[in-house]
Amino acid sequence: MYGRSELKSSRTVYLFALFCVLGWESSAAETDVFEGMFQIHGFLTQAYVKTTENQFFGDSQDGSFDFRELGINASYRMSPKIMLAAQILSRKAGEMYDGSLDLDYAHFDYTLHMNEDDRIGFVLGRSKNTFGFYNDTRDVAATRPGIFMPQAIYWDRVRNMVLSSDGGQLYGETQSETHLFQLRLIGGTTPIDENVENTYLNPNLNPKMDNDGITLGGRLLYEWDGGRFRLAFSTASLTLDAKTDLFPPGKIKIDYRVLSAQYNNGPWSLTMEYMEEPIDYKDFNGLLDVADTTVDGYYFQGNYRLDADWELFARYEESHYNKHDKEGKKSSAILGPPEHTFFSELWTLGILWEPTEQLMLRAEFSQIEGAIFLSNLENTPGTTERDWNLFSLLASYSF
């Protein structure tokens, strides 16, 4: 089950953690037996979150340990063209995700054509969606750009909707000297949970949603000189059927577009991503036409590798419910909630230490104005504070 589950699963999570450790002990031997065709990997992540105001990933005003991730994945390459892969994930994130075991992905990957410069193939099953630079690896702490994803692009409150899809993907890539082009097209249905329902409609309306058709999307990626410069454009489009206790049924059409750029040079890495999300409320007897908007957001991040084990980073990000209403004044006047719930501005400073190849430690501090990305499951709408700070620690072990 995605999102919160009625089944309390703390015992299951602990058993799963034990299985991860046992898997680590046996994975090397198993890989040797299959001569590298069979692999097992996993990760265990625990974070601590403290905020001066508002709730983020649990009761963070009092200090919260309600952010943990446990995952184990396996892949089996049946031939040079065929691979099977799957991952089981437990994710506890405050009131948004309760730690239940989920099938994170499970797919069949077939390469139709492959040579030194080109590759074409398809994937069937539940697969991660390649949006932006980080969406398809966002659950692995070692591949995230910080303890938390940049909320301007990768909202945790609607994570499941953009994370994966059940269906198929077509992919292709071509290499020409120092230039690499990759294209991936996506078609399938996306998981809809109560986090999504309470984001796109007021939770007081008791909204219920489901997919109307399939989600279509894809990403075009260009890399130069082995990743020194990277440029990508991602897009997705989906429609949700929605019902409430107050309004007649309707549909919510969502488009999602992300432009990504990154430059890497020696110890330096500079990253920028910009997102636009037009949202169109159809039917509902026209009562929600005033909610039509184009959400946007962006961030800039700079990383500096001090040495092989230490790294510093700084990030600035902004989000707006209406790209033409940066301070939320018009949106507040029309829809009711306070102005600061329609935007956010964040400054984040962080440090990373990797004492071993498997262990990663992070510490971060964020100064925040606004509350657009906060979950309605953790914060009663209209009661959040405008200015607040966030301090977080994270330890992650991978194998």
Side-chain angles (χ1 to χ4, degrees), residues 296 318-320 322-328 342-343 345:
D296 79 341
E318 279 193 25
S319 302
H320 314 102
N322 185 335
K323 63 180 293 186
H324 302 296
D325 181 29
K326 304 294 187 183
E327 297 180 352
F342 294 98
F343 76 92
E345 299 177 6

Side-chain angles (χ1 to χ4, degrees), residues 152-371:
I153 310 295
Y154 307 97
W155 286 19
D156 273 293
R157 59 191 289 185
V158 295
R159 164 188 170 274
N160 282 344
M161 186 181 73
V162 298
L163 179 66
S164 62
S165 57
D166 296 335
Q169 300 186 10
L170 295 174
Y171 63 83
E173 67 176 51
T174 182
Q175 177 90 38
S176 177
E177 296 182 348
T178 59
H179 306 282
L180 174 66
F181 294 89
Q182 293 182 342
L183 176 64
R184 186 172 288 256
L185 302 176
I186 299 167
T189 58
T190 57
I192 305 301
D193 59 19
E194 62 182 331
N195 294 292
V196 175
E197 294 168 338
N198 292 329
T199 294
Y200 290 102
L201 286 173
N202 192 306
N204 293 326
L205 299 175
N206 190 28
K208 301 297 179 185
M209 299 181 188
D210 201 357
N211 288 281
D212 178 20
I214 64 174
T215 299
L216 297 175
R219 185 185 72 176
L220 177 63
L221 173 70
Y222 166 72
E223 288 190 0
W224 172 71
D225 196 18
R228 180 184 294 269
F229 176 71
R230 307 173 71 213
L231 184 65
F233 176 72
S234 311
T235 183
S237 179
L238 72 155
T239 301
L240 302 176
D241 284 324
K243 297 180 180 179
T244 71
D245 289 344
L246 181 61
F247 301 129
K251 298 180 184 295
I252 305 173
K253 188 178 187 306
I254 302 169
D255 293 310
Y256 187 68
R257 300 186 287 264
V258 179
L259 179 64
S260 312
Q262 186 176 75
Y263 178 70
N264 300 289
N265 188 8
W268 288 98
S269 179
L270 303 175
T271 306
M272 182 280 292
E273 294 192 273
Y274 174 78
M275 178 272 291
E276 277 193 356
E277 184 185 3
I279 304 173
D280 184 14
Y281 292 83
K282 296 179 178 294
D283 302 326
F284 302 103
N285 273 4
L287 299 174
L288 291 180
D289 288 350
V290 294
D292 290 352
T293 188
T294 297
V295 180
D296 79 341
Y298 68 88
Y299 76 89
F300 296 97
Q301 178 164 327
N303 294 58
Y304 181 73
R305 176 68 68 166
L306 297 170
D307 58 29
D309 301 330
W310 291 88
E311 183 177 85
L312 301 174
F313 88 86
R315 181 168 69 218
Y316 176 75
E317 55 185 294
E318 279 193 25
S319 302
H320 314 102
Y321 174 77
N322 185 335
K323 63 180 293 186
H324 302 296
D325 181 29
K326 304 294 187 183
E327 297 180 352
K329 294 181 178 180
K330 295 180 181 179
S331 300
S332 177
I334 294 172
L335 300 175
E339 296 174 3
H340 71 269
T341 61
F342 294 98
F343 76 92
S344 63
E345 299 177 6
L346 288 79
W347 282 99
T348 301
L349 296 175
I351 187 169
L352 175 150
W353 180 38
E354 296 174 310
T356 71
E357 291 185 359
Q358 290 79 32
L359 180 63
M360 180 187 70
L361 305 174
R362 283 185 179 271
E364 295 177 12
F365 175 79
S366 298
Q367 188 175 62
I368 307 169
E369 181 182 4

Side-chain angles (χ1 to χ4, degrees), residues 8-17:
K8 300 302 181 182
S9 57
S10 58
R11 180 180 179 185
T12 305
V13 170
Y14 287 121
L15 291 174
F16 180 47

Side-chain angles (χ1 to χ4, degrees), residues 52-70:
T52 56
E53 308 289 345
N54 305 323
Q55 305 287 32
F56 189 58
F57 284 62
D59 186 12
S60 55
Q61 292 186 69
D62 293 328
S64 171
F65 288 94
D66 284 343
F67 180 27
R68 71 186 66 93
E69 297 162 313
L70 301 93

